Every structure is written in C-alpha cells, then in structure tokens.
Amino acid sequence: MKYFPIIVMMMVVEAAVGQTALKWNALPDLPDDRGFAGMFAGVSHGALLCLGGANFPDGYPWDGGVKKWYDGIYLLEQGGSWKKLPQKMETAAGYGVSVSYQDQVILVGGSNAREHLSRVIGYEWDGQALVRHKYPSLPFSLANMSGAVLEDLLIVVGGNVSATGPGLAKCLVLDLKDVQTGWTEMEPWPGPGRIFPVCATFEGAFYMFSGESTAVNSKGTSYRLIHQDGYRLSIQYLAGRRSVHWEKLAAMPRGMSAGGSSLPVLKGDRFLFWGGVDAVTAQHKTPSSHPGITNDLLYYFPHTDSWEFVGRQQRIPARVTLPVVHWQNQWFYISGEIKPGIRTPAITGVY
C-alpha cells in the first residue's frame, strides 16, 4: 500500500499573526505503536532514515517498566510507505547526535543500556541497501549532547560521559573534508556545562541554546537547573589555524532542554522553538500525572538577537529527546517523548 508522503493536519497556531503563521503537516506514523525517544535520523539520496532510539515496551517506568534500546532502521522514500530494513545498526543506541551530510546520515556517540558510546558511523542508502562508512571515534564516550554541520565541520556540544555523569562544557569538531585528522576539542562557550542543549546553524554560524545541569540548593538538595542562555559560535581561519569565538545572546524567555534539534530555520530569518523541558515542566515530580510538555511556540531572530512569542500548538503534543530533520522543504520532528516514559510514533512537519 502506498501513502502520499504529506498528510495535511488541520489548524495550526493559536494567536498567530498572519505574517508569522506556521503550517503543520504529518508523515505516516512510524510502524511501531509506541514510538521511540532519542532516535537518530537524517536524509540519504532523498530517503528519510530513522534509526535506534528507546522506549518502555513492558510497562511505564513508574510501574517497574525497563527502558529498552533498539537497533532497528526505518526508511521512507517520497511517495512510499515506511519500510523496516533487514539491516540493523551495529549496536542498539539512542540519545546521540545525527546529521545529514553528502547523502550520508552520520551517527555520533549515544548510549544504550550498558554504556555511553564513542563510535561515529555513516549510513548511506544506495537504493537497495545501506552502506556503512567509518569515521574517527570521539575522544571519549558521549551521549545526551547536541550537534550540527556548519559547512564541512561537524560540531558537537555538551553531553555527558556516563548516565550519571555531569554535563560537560565541551565543544568537539570534526572536519568532514579531512577526517583523518580526527576530532579537535575547541574552546567551549563561556557558560556552564550541560546535557541536552539544542542547536542550529545559520549564515555561517553555529548556535547553542538551553540544556540542563544539576545544581544544589541552600539546603544541600540537588535539583534540575534548566538553562535559559544561548550562544553563537563563529569560526575563523588565521594562518591555516582554526579559531573560535563565542558570543552570549539575549536570554531565552524559557528554557528548552532536550528539545528537538537541529532547530527549524523558517522564513529564512528565524528559529522555531517548540517542546523541550522548561523550568516549570521540570518541577513536576509525579510521572504518572505529568501534564506533558509546554506547547508554547517561540521565534528567535538571529539578525536582531531577539525573541517573539507566536502562540501555542494546541492540537499536536510537544515533545522532548528527538531529532529534527529537514526534508522535502519542511522540518520534521521525528517520534520523541510526550510525557515521561511515553513516546509517540508521529512524524510532524512544520514550515
């Protein structure tokens, strides 16, 4: 059975102004009833690939359900339906970075039930099967980070080296035109280390926002600190050497830890912020009664370093821990988590 790849979903944004109104679409759901958090995803030769991720197949975590990581690979070609490929990832994994580059989907780090990973591998769809491409491993195991490709540079920021490790203030760079030189650790942003930041690229610069770390209050109790800062990274070459410059940006109206990344760049001049964990959401203590992720929609304008609230997405649940992929002139949010322990198989597009 064939599906037309874009199914229009009704209604968009409450209180959106005509000039800034968003259009929302949906692809067919992933062929898994639960869906996955922390998937890898990207585009290879016009096909959308979604790989790995994790869910709770045997019950909610508050009922004793155990998280399971997967090695499955799903493929969607334009005008077709989802296929679960017979090939599998080399190991079950999720919660890493994935980027599309020259018809490969490159997977960086991530985690599984045993460990955090340092491996970097590319997958390319040749029309019949997936071809694997090896890349230099990260200098250390890393998951729960963010990253994107800026021209030919693969940039990875934040993350931690183990499930209980602190968020890192690390910026790693791999030149995809000269992979033999391996990863380079560059000067980090002038702010705290973190896990789960979100990022984007725009007009020759790399942007990083939010994320979270563990802080301690005046009574000695640990709590989730959701960051509301953002930074712009500019890279220059002087005498053949790479140098970086970080610039702190206007404070975010709310945090967006573990939101979809890379951030959609819309109308040629703004980033869309939808989903993620803010400081209020982080205070919900009972997973079974969690209200879900905030549905606020924000624009960030890099030309003016300014923010705008543009409405709320009332019809589609917002999500955390998911990749966002640019495909067929739209930005698609790939599966993800809508409440603690609860995933969705939905693939939601915006433009």
Side-chain angles (χ1 to χ4, degrees), residues 23-83:
K23 296 180 181 178
W24 300 82
N25 294 316
L27 294 175
D29 288 357
L30 283 171
D32 182 279
D33 291 341
R34 294 181 183 85
F36 306 91
M39 294 192 88
F40 301 94
V43 177
S44 176
H45 294 287
L48 177 62
L49 290 170
C50 301
L51 311 91
N55 62 29
F56 290 85
D58 301 318
Y60 297 125
W62 55 88
D63 292 330
V66 177
K67 182 185 286 190
K68 179 180 178 180
W69 280 256
Y70 294 85
D71 57 8
I73 302 175
Y74 299 90
L75 178 138
L76 181 65
E77 296 180 288
Q78 185 177 12
S81 57
W82 283 106
K83 303 174 185 175

Side-chain angles (χ1 to χ4, degrees), residues 28 44 134 142 176 222 263:
S44 176
K134 289 203 66 176
L142 194 64
L176 295 172
S222 298
L263 295 164

Side-chain angles (χ1 to χ4, degrees), residues 20 81 86 123 125 157 174 208 224 232 239 337:
T20 59
S81 57
Y123 288 95
W125 176 247
V157 290
L174 177 66
M208 183 193 77
R224 294 174 71 181
R232 176 170 44 233
E337 183 173 0

Side-chain angles (χ1 to χ4, degrees), residues 39-351:
M39 294 192 88
F40 301 94
V43 177
S44 176
H45 294 287
L48 177 62
L49 290 170
C50 301
L51 311 91
N55 62 29
F56 290 85
D58 301 318
Y60 297 125
W62 55 88
D63 292 330
V66 177
K67 182 185 286 190
K68 179 180 178 180
W69 280 256
Y70 294 85
D71 57 8
I73 302 175
Y74 299 90
L75 178 138
L76 181 65
E77 296 180 288
Q78 185 177 12
S81 57
W82 283 106
K83 303 174 185 175
K84 187 173 184 180
L85 299 181
Q87 293 172 272
K88 297 181 183 296
M89 298 169 60
E90 76 289 353
T91 185
Y95 305 97
V97 163
S98 50
V99 299
S100 304
Y101 179 78
Q102 294 187 352
D103 286 315
Q104 293 183 39
V105 181
I106 302 176
L107 281 53
V108 183
S111 65
N112 55 36
R114 300 181 305 276
E115 61 187 349
H116 281 24
L117 306 171
S118 63
R119 66 91 177 90
V120 182
I121 188 167
Y123 288 95
E124 182 175 2
W125 176 247
D126 69 3
Q128 300 294 325
L130 286 177
V131 179
R132 291 181 181 177
H133 300 267
K134 289 203 66 176
Y135 287 87
S137 294
L138 292 164
F140 42 81
S141 300
L142 194 64
N144 308 321
M145 66 290 208
S146 188
V149 171
L150 177 64
E151 298 175 351
D152 297 308
L153 299 180
L154 173 49
I155 302 172
V156 172
V157 290
N160 54 7
V161 300
S162 68
T164 58
L168 302 177
K170 296 285 188 180
C171 175
L172 303 175
V173 177
L174 177 66
D175 187 343
L176 295 172
K177 290 290 188 183
D178 186 20
V179 297
Q180 294 83 0
T181 59
W183 290 85
T184 302
E185 186 171 334
M186 306 299 292
E187 176 187 347
W189 58 95
R194 63 199 65 201
I195 58 174
F196 294 126
V198 296
C199 68
T201 59
F202 181 77
E203 293 187 350
F206 175 92
Y207 291 75
M208 183 193 77
F209 300 90
S210 195
E212 63 184 89
S213 57
T214 300
V216 179
N217 68 15
S218 62
K219 304 300 182 181
T221 303
S222 298
Y223 68 96
R224 294 174 71 181
L225 174 61
I226 308 298
H227 298 295
Q228 292 181 230
D229 52 353
Y231 303 86
R232 176 170 44 233
L233 169 63
S234 302
I235 297 179
Q236 297 179 330
Y237 292 88
L238 301 173
R241 299 192 64 179
R242 188 185 303 133
S243 65
V244 302
H245 173 70
W246 290 94
E247 180 181 7
K248 190 170 185 178
L249 305 174
M252 305 173 69
R254 68 171 183 86
M256 190 185 166
S257 179
S261 192
S262 292
L263 295 164
V265 180
L266 302 178
K267 305 180 189 299
D269 68 352
R270 65 200 70 180
F271 304 159
L272 174 65
F273 288 73
W274 177 50
V277 178
D278 63 9
V280 174
T281 306
Q283 300 312 308
H284 292 288
K285 306 299 184 185
T286 307
S288 60
S289 61
H290 197 285
I293 308 304
T294 179
N295 59 6
D296 288 354
L297 295 159
L298 298 171
Y299 283 150
Y300 174 76
F301 297 89
H303 285 151
T304 57
D305 187 24
S306 61
W307 294 87
E308 179 185 352
F309 172 77
V310 292
R312 294 182 175 91
Q313 172 48 270
Q314 304 279 31
R315 293 178 174 258
I316 308 169
R319 312 168 199 180
V320 296
T321 56
L322 71 159
V324 181
V325 177
H326 190 250
W327 187 57
Q328 302 294 323
N329 299 314
Q330 299 186 49
W331 294 87
F332 286 99
Y333 292 83
I334 307 298
S335 201
E337 183 173 0
I338 58 174
K339 293 183 179 182
I342 303 175
R343 280 53 168 154
T344 174
I347 310 293
T348 301
V350 66
Y351 62 101

